[in-house]
């Protein structure tokens, strides 16, 4: 990566992480705060926790498409200002309904797809995967950090203070955007990161992709519902004050990563993706049953939570990889857009249904809901086909006319290990999908040099 591409990747990752920190820091502390708000019920508390997911799911694709017309930085700025406004509304609200409105506004600042599009504008096709990986890693790190910072900050500034801090982080993101992030030379629609409306029917008609979309929906429904119950279990049953609950989350998350890493290596390097994938779903379901039965002992709870987050982290890493493997080469961005919307809709449903379940039967109601969600997910996933181990690659053919580009793509299709080679003339790109066991980096470099010879 060039210095400009590196600066683009890390600055956009910073903007993403500042925003995600603000969204996630209230997860471990919100239920305690919400108990004292006017109009608070378990259902409205759950709705407040998950409400941002609904507007995020509805608006992130339109935000990305609109940014093609009026500019990436302009749309990111608008989104971050809306997000900041929602944070201020939530901070100043003395009722649960005001907080719900604030969370809805936070979600309406749906800039995730625009950030990825800007990252694509600022990187070459050959380096784009690295840039997206840098941005993707910040999401997981932000989530882990937020579970530790949330209780610590709550003890000092309270939940309203966290909301105010979230607004400041959004403004800081705008500062990074204009002070650090390079300005793209031109805006383009990138099929590897952006959504193409003409491809919706193809993506939504693919049963394999729909299985994965349901997977991320169920995963985040379970996660959001869990944070309606788990902080209260730690406080009311185990006796850990909310200000010290970070002492549980920190070792649990660290140990879960240690478990996750060899499982991801087994899935990818040893080509055991489906076995690891289904095994993680089973583990998620069993941890919910275990939480239903054993949540009165700290040791038991820590062990179960470690397994839960290990399975969660495995799925968070595996699902995007599976989308990339399964999606048609030229429809990867559209598939990821539908996938991301499914994730945010899962957050909304998990918060709402989880809050209702908590009102019906306390923590047990939440764990039963989550176990049933995992059971349904298992039924959906177990019939999934074994994914082909492919990776995507792009070759710039803008200097070729359409006929020459298609001839070149036809030659690539004859190469051993090339699964797909699709020319998109308006992008000036050939989208490749190759078998990673057959086609190495040297082969990809050789393919990329050949347009000049076509």
């Amino acid at each position: 990566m060039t210095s400009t591409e590196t600066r683009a990747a890390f600055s956009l990752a910073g903007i993403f992480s500042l925003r995600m920190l603000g969204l996630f820091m209230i997860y471990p502390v919100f239920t305690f705060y919400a108990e004292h708000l006017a109009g608070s019920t378990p259902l409205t508390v759950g709705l407040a926790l998950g409400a941002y997911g609904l507007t995020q799911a509805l608006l992130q694709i339109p935000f990305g498409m609109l940014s093609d017309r009026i500019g990436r930085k302009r749309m990111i700025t608008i989104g971050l200002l809306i997000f900041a406004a929602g944070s201020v509304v939530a901070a100043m609200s003395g009722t649960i309904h005001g907080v719900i409105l604030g969370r809805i506004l936070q979600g309406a600042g749906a800039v995730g797809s625009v950030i990825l599009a800007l990252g694509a504008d600022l990187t070459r096709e050959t380096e784009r995967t690295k840039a997206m990986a840098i941005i993707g890693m910040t999401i997981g790190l932000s989530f882990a950090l937020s579970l530790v910072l949330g209780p610590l900050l709550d003890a000092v500034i309270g939940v309203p203070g966290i909301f105010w801090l979230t607004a400041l982080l959004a403004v800081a993101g705008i500062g990074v955007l204009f002070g650090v992030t390079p300005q793209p030379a031109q805006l383009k629609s990138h099929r590897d990161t952006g959504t193409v409306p003409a491809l919706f029917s193809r993506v939504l008609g693919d049963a394999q992709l729909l299985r994965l979309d349901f997977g991320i929906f169920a995963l985040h429904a379970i996660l959001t519902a869990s944070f309606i119950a788990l902080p209260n279990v730690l406080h009311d049953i185990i006796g850990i004050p909310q200000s010290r609950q970070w002492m549980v989350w920190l070792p649990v998350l660290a140990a879960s990563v240690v478990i996750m890493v060899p499982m991801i290596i087994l899935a990818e390097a040893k080509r055991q993706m489906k076995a690891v994938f289904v095994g993680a779903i089973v583990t998620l379901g069993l941890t919910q049953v275990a939480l239903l039965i054993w949540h009165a002992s700290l040791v038991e709870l820590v062990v179960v939570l470690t397994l839960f987050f290990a399975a969660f982290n495995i799925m968070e890493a595996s699902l995007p990889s599976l989308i990339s493997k399964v999606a048609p080469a030229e429809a990867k961005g559209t598939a990821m857009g539908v996938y991301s919307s499914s994730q945010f809709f899962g957050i909304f449903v998990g918060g709402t249904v989880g809050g209702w379940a908590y009102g019906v039967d306390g923590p047990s109601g939440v764990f039963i809901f989550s176990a049933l969600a995992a059971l349904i997910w298992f039924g959906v996933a177990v019939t999934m086909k074994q994914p082909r181990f492919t990776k995507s690659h792009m070759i710039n053919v803008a200097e070729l006319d359409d006929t020459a580009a298609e001839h070149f793509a036809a030659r690539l299709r004859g190469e051993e290990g090339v699964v797909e080679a699709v020319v998109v003339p308006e992008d000036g790109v050939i989208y490749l999908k190759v078998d990673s066991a057959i086609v190495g980096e040297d082969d990809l470099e050789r393919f990329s040099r050949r347009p000049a010879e076509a």
Side-chain angles (χ1 to χ4, degrees), residues 8 35 46 52 96 151 230 246-247 252 254 283 314 366 368 422 435 439:
E35 291 174 356
Y52 83 92
I96 191 66
L230 289 173
W246 68 270
M247 296 180 181
V252 161
T283 302
I314 290 168
V366 174
I368 290 171
V422 181
D435 188 322
V439 178

Side-chain angles (χ1 to χ4, degrees), residues 16 19-20 23 50-62 83 103-113 340-341 343-345 347:
F16 225 125
R19 181 170 163 274
M20 298 310 287
L23 284 171
Y52 83 92
L54 179 61
T55 42
Q56 186 89 7
L58 294 174
L59 295 176
Q60 61 134 2
I61 290 177
F83 179 80
R103 294 285 280 172
I104 288 172
L105 279 173
Q106 282 186 320
V111 297
S113 60
S340 296
S341 293
Q343 171 184 331
F344 290 116
F345 191 55
I347 290 170

Side-chain angles (χ1 to χ4, degrees), residues 16 19-20 52-62 110-114 116 139 192-195 200 203-204 209 212-218 220 316 319-320 323 332-348:
F16 225 125
R19 181 170 163 274
M20 298 310 287
Y52 83 92
L54 179 61
T55 42
Q56 186 89 7
L58 294 174
L59 295 176
Q60 61 134 2
I61 290 177
V111 297
S113 60
V114 189
L116 295 180
I139 299 174
D192 59 319
T193 58
T195 302
F200 273 132
V203 167
L204 294 174
L209 287 174
L212 301 175
D213 293 335
F214 181 82
I216 196 63
F217 166 87
H220 279 267
E316 277 284 277
L319 280 163
I323 289 283
K332 178 183 172 185
T334 305
M336 287 302 300
V338 173
Y339 167 88
S340 296
S341 293
S342 302
Q343 171 184 331
F344 290 116
F345 191 55
I347 290 170
F348 169 69

Side-chain angles (χ1 to χ4, degrees), residues 80 103 148 155 162 322 334 351 388 396 408:
L80 289 175
R103 294 285 280 172
V148 176
I162 293 176
L322 282 166
T334 305
R388 189 163 184 176
N396 191 314
F408 178 51

Side-chain angles (χ1 to χ4, degrees), residues 350-418:
T352 305
V353 178
W356 169 81
Y358 191 90
V360 171
D361 196 23
S364 296
V366 174
F367 300 141
I368 290 171
F369 160 69
S370 297
L372 289 173
L375 180 62
I376 296 170
W377 184 9
F378 173 79
V380 170
V382 75
T383 56
M384 178 180 75
K385 294 178 182 176
Q386 178 69 35
R388 189 163 184 176
F389 281 76
T390 61
K391 63 180 178 181
S392 300
H393 183 70
M394 288 171 288
I395 298 175
N396 191 314
V397 291
E399 72 274 20
L400 302 181
D401 60 42
D402 292 354
T403 302
E406 184 52 52
H407 282 316
F408 178 51
R411 286 161 54 188
L412 287 174
R413 292 184 199 111
E415 293 277 355
E416 185 181 11
V418 174

Side-chain angles (χ1 to χ4, degrees), residues 33-41 44-45 93-100:
Y33 169 73
E35 291 174 356
H36 306 292
L37 295 173
S40 176
T41 66
T44 55
V45 170
S93 295
T95 69
I96 191 66
H97 299 98
V99 174
I100 291 171

